[in-house]
Amino acid sequence: MSVEGWNTVLVLGGIRSGKSEFAESLVADAPTVRYVATAAAADPEDTEWATRLAAHRARRPGSWTTEETADDPRRLADVLASAGPNETMLVDDLGGWVTVLLDPAHQPADDVATITELADAVRASEARIVLVSPEVGLSLVPTTPLGRAFADALGAANRAVADACDAVALVVAGQPVWLKPSAPVPPVDVPARAVPVDGVDGVAPAAATLPADGPLPEVLTPTVPPAPPTATGTTWTTSTMALPVIATGLVIQPGMELPMPDEYAGPQAVQRLGTLDLPGAGLGVLERVVEFAAATQGTSTPTPWTDVRVLLLHGDHTGGVAAGAPVGESTRLARQARAGRGTLARLAAENGAGLQVVDAPPAAPIEHGPALDADTVESALRYGWRLAEEAAEAGVRLLVLGACGAGAEAAAAAVLVATAGAEAPTVLGRVHTADGEIDDAAWMVRCATIRDALHRTRRSPRGAKDILAELGGGDVAVACGVLLGATARRVPVLLDGPVGLAAGMVARDLAGQARHWCLLVDHGGHPAVRLAADVLGLTPLLDLRLDLGEGANALAALPLLRSVLALAGSLPVHPYHGGPDDEPTDTTPTDTTPTGDAATAPADGDVAATTAPTAPAPGLARTDLPADSDAAPAAAGAGADDVTPEFAEPTPAGPGPTTTAPADAGPEPDPSGRRAG
């Protein structure tokens, strides 16, 4: 379903408005659909009406079943009331139902009572129901009694059913406008925060909420050391996308149409790099940073990211995936980050970035059952979307995803195994003890846990939300919502570690555009990150193999990325490509011939001096050079004819013009082959 928090939807629209196609798209993700046809059988001679009905039948997938209620319009209420909670029904449409209801064959009857019965059945049904109905009342009042009776009855039916439904949409020219609800999504109770147990530094899930409209976690601004001043840049040229999920009640579902980065700005930025005054081969592989920033900013001259926010997701996983994880370590790291201490907070301060610690719902052991229930998955996705939405509203231009939950790496590996068809041992990273030693026993337990979880879910659906519920857990679900919300608001995201890449794999199945807004700085040597990056087409920029914690690795490399963008935006065009020339424009020769004892020119091209010292008297050694210097004259006891003086007396300028040698050239050689002396 495409409506969040509600089971019943009424889709209104005029003739040929696209209301039926839109209603069918709302149930496209359901495995089976009961299609309830209300129209009466067509007149055999009415070929145009028969063509319309055939077009409707042709659009229905083979997995759908069709049920007709034209023989008895009162049966529609019974069909809806008897539907089970696992069924999805599409009723098309109420206009045909009212036509049959007003048919003389079904009169006399209490039309008002029948409409009330239908509305009560919709309100009480446990099934997922989408009803289609033509909107009336936007034109003139019909001139015939039968036309007025139809308009009145259909108008009454639309009002009653709209009041009974959880959501109402009006389709105009193929564009849906949500009329109901006017209030945001109600909060869903989910466990969200890990708390100490009986004073021990352990964790246990506590009941909490991820509210749809409540306050989000505090955004911290670490100040040790003080953040460096940030350069001002140009304003963003691309507008952000309106938020369909929060404002209208639409659910996060497969096939979402989210914006893509600018397909022209990136290549234009790379082409522009080739014209800049860069020495050597230029920026190398870091040209991809410029291309990514240009595409996501919508300009060929991108600016460095100045407003950065780090989202640290803290959600613990219980069971075998957390084997070998020190008890209470994830809680300590989250508490440390909130206090502005530790590696992540220090790096955030160095980069002038905000830090937001987010408590995600804890996950149950995946070897025994689902990690989360379906409602918690929906709530976590919306919560992540809201985090990205709030960041965009606050002017954040770059998000960095981090995670610190116990067992998060193994849970992310399980998601990758399910989505990419990999084997657990090939994507599961090493387990290290608190002393830094490799714990092979814990690694084997994690492998066995992932194997058992996949065996348990071998017949389960492999949809994006199914994987989050069965294997992913709260941190992966929140991260997935962040990626989707950031994509909708055109905010790029730095991925850094297994949780972020696992969320990227799931987000790809919900909205394929999300991966184009992600940048992977370093794979950290983690096998799961390597494989997920390959599947998503995210080539790591660096090969530093940093292991500072998910999120901290990206922050460590962020200054380099900013420097690259600063160079790309500030360097001039090379003179060869028409840029400014740094050579002086005044080419008039100037007489710079030395004329005094304090300005003698060097007699040897190997020795250069801005101000030449006074030449020594013949037969005397230089006293202003070290005794062991190669330039010191060995003239002690020797005559002037035996030693070539290191510095010659200046030659007086004779009559006529004097030629000045270039500044970077040595003295002009004597045609006779002898040095001047």
Side-chain angles (χ1 to χ4, degrees):
M1 287 284 287
S2 295
V3 181
E4 182 56 54
W6 299 276
N7 287 332
T8 52
V9 184
L10 174 63
V11 178
L12 300 171
I15 299 174
R16 296 296 190 184
S17 64
K19 59 183 182 298
S20 294
E21 291 89 339
F22 176 70
E24 291 167 5
S25 70
L26 295 180
V27 297
D29 62 331
T32 59
V33 176
R34 287 175 63 187
Y35 185 94
V36 182
T38 61
D43 187 345
E45 298 182 358
D46 191 347
T47 57
E48 191 273 336
W49 181 251
T51 301
R52 286 179 179 238
L53 295 181
H56 276 259
R57 296 190 186 99
R59 288 202 307 264
R60 303 172 201 165
S63 60
W64 290 15
T65 60
T66 302
E67 188 167 350
E68 298 183 358
T69 61
D71 295 338
D72 183 7
R74 295 173 181 84
R75 197 168 71 87
L76 177 59
D78 297 334
V79 171
L80 298 180
S82 61
N86 296 325
E87 291 189 80
T88 301
M89 308 188 69
L90 175 58
V91 180
D92 195 359
D93 67 359
L94 295 185
W97 179 77
V98 170
T99 301
V100 175
L101 180 64
L102 298 179
D103 192 298
H106 301 289
Q107 297 294 330
D110 189 347
D111 301 338
V112 176
T114 305
I115 292 174
T116 302
E117 291 175 3
L118 175 62
D120 292 341
V122 171
R123 187 177 290 106
S125 178
E126 298 180 350
R128 306 165 73 193
I129 303 174
V130 176
L131 303 101
V132 182
S133 182
E135 175 57 27
V136 295
L138 299 179
S139 183
L140 299 175
V141 177
T143 58
T144 62
L146 184 58
R148 289 192 293 272
F150 174 80
D152 292 343
L154 183 57
N158 286 347
R159 292 182 60 182
V161 173
D163 182 69
C165 284
D166 299 317
V168 180
L170 174 65
V171 181
V172 180
Q175 306 301 312
V177 179
W178 290 94
L179 309 178
K180 180 184 177 182
S182 58
V185 184
V188 179
D189 291 338
V190 294
R193 184 185 291 260
V195 298
V197 181
D198 297 332
V200 182
D201 197 12
V203 293
T209 59
L210 295 180
D213 293 308
L216 294 174
E218 179 186 2
V219 179
L220 307 174
T221 306
T223 57
V224 181
T230 56
T232 58
T234 58
T235 58
W236 246 242
T237 59
T238 306
S239 60
T240 57
M241 179 182 180
L243 183 61
V245 171
I246 302 303
T248 66
L250 290 178
V251 70
I252 299 174
Q253 65 168 0
M256 299 175 67
E257 290 295 332
L258 299 181
M260 284 282 290
D262 194 315
E263 61 179 322
Y264 301 107
Q268 289 172 355
V270 174
Q271 185 178 6
R272 178 178 172 274
L273 283 179
T275 67
L276 299 183
D277 193 3
L278 281 168
L283 300 177
V285 297
L286 293 179
E287 286 185 355
R288 295 205 305 270
V289 178
V290 180
E291 182 177 12
F292 175 80
T296 54
Q297 295 180 20
T299 173
S300 61
T301 55
T303 59
W305 297 297
T306 55
D307 297 297
V308 182
R309 180 175 295 182
V310 184
L311 298 179
L312 179 63
L313 306 180
H314 174 219
D316 287 338
H317 300 254
T318 56
V321 293
V327 177
E329 177 66 11
S330 63
T331 303
R332 186 187 71 84
L333 293 175
R335 184 171 59 246
Q336 187 183 62
R338 285 191 177 96
R341 301 190 307 269
T343 303
L344 187 68
R346 179 62 181 264
L347 289 172
E350 292 284 353
N351 286 279
L355 175 58
Q356 193 171 17
V357 183
V358 180
D359 286 316
I366 61 175
E367 62 267 37
H368 302 310
L372 301 173
D373 58 67
D375 291 338
T376 305
V377 170
E378 294 286 354
S379 182
L381 286 170
R382 294 196 306 270
Y383 191 66
W385 188 298
R386 286 190 57 221
L387 289 169
E389 166 78 0
E390 190 274 334
E393 293 292 339
V396 172
R397 297 306 183 191
L398 180 69
L399 287 173
V400 179
L401 268 184
C404 66
E409 290 188 7
V415 171
L416 187 58
V417 170
T419 54
E423 294 291 337
T426 63
V427 296
L428 194 59
R430 293 279 194 180
V431 181
H432 294 86
T433 65
D435 299 330
E437 298 180 355
I438 296 176
D439 191 344
D440 288 332
W443 181 85
M444 289 187 286
V445 172
R446 294 187 181 188
C447 282
T449 300
I450 297 176
R451 177 202 61 196
D452 294 344
L454 292 175
H455 180 76
R456 178 183 60 80
T457 61
R458 64 190 182 280
R459 293 188 177 89
S460 300
R462 281 292 187 260
K465 296 181 182 178
D466 301 312
I467 291 176
L468 290 175
E470 295 289 348
L471 305 172
D475 50 358
V476 180
V478 173
C480 182
V482 169
L483 294 182
L484 295 173
T487 300
R489 295 305 303 264
R490 305 179 188 271
V491 178
V493 182
L494 286 188
L495 299 182
D496 181 23
V499 172
L501 270 296
M505 294 289 293
V506 179
R508 177 197 60 169
D509 296 335
L510 293 171
Q513 302 86 357
R515 66 184 181 91
H516 296 281
W517 294 88
C518 298
L519 184 66
L520 179 61
V521 179
D522 186 17
H523 56 70
H526 200 290
V529 175
R530 287 177 179 270
L531 179 58
D534 184 61
V535 174
L536 295 174
L538 302 176
T539 304
L541 293 173
L542 308 173
D543 188 10
L544 302 178
R545 298 178 181 270
L546 295 175
D547 192 13
L548 303 174
E550 187 159 347
N553 304 318
L555 286 177
L558 183 57
L560 174 62
L561 308 187
R562 283 172 160 171
S563 299
V564 168
L565 294 179
L567 283 176
S570 61
L571 286 180
V573 176
H574 195 279
Y576 180 80
H577 297 284
D581 194 344
D582 294 335
E583 291 295 329
T585 56
D586 187 6
T587 58
T588 305
T590 304
D591 186 354
T592 59
T593 303
T595 58
D597 293 340
T600 56
D604 194 36
D606 295 334
V607 180
T610 304
T611 303
T614 304
L620 296 180
R622 285 284 306 276
T623 59
D624 59 334
L625 293 177
D628 56 351
S629 173
D630 293 337
D641 295 336
D642 301 326
V643 179
T644 302
E646 198 69 28
F647 294 90
E649 290 287 340
T651 304
T658 302
T659 303
T660 302
D664 58 347
E668 190 171 346
D670 193 331
S672 64
R674 296 180 302 152
R675 296 188 181 187

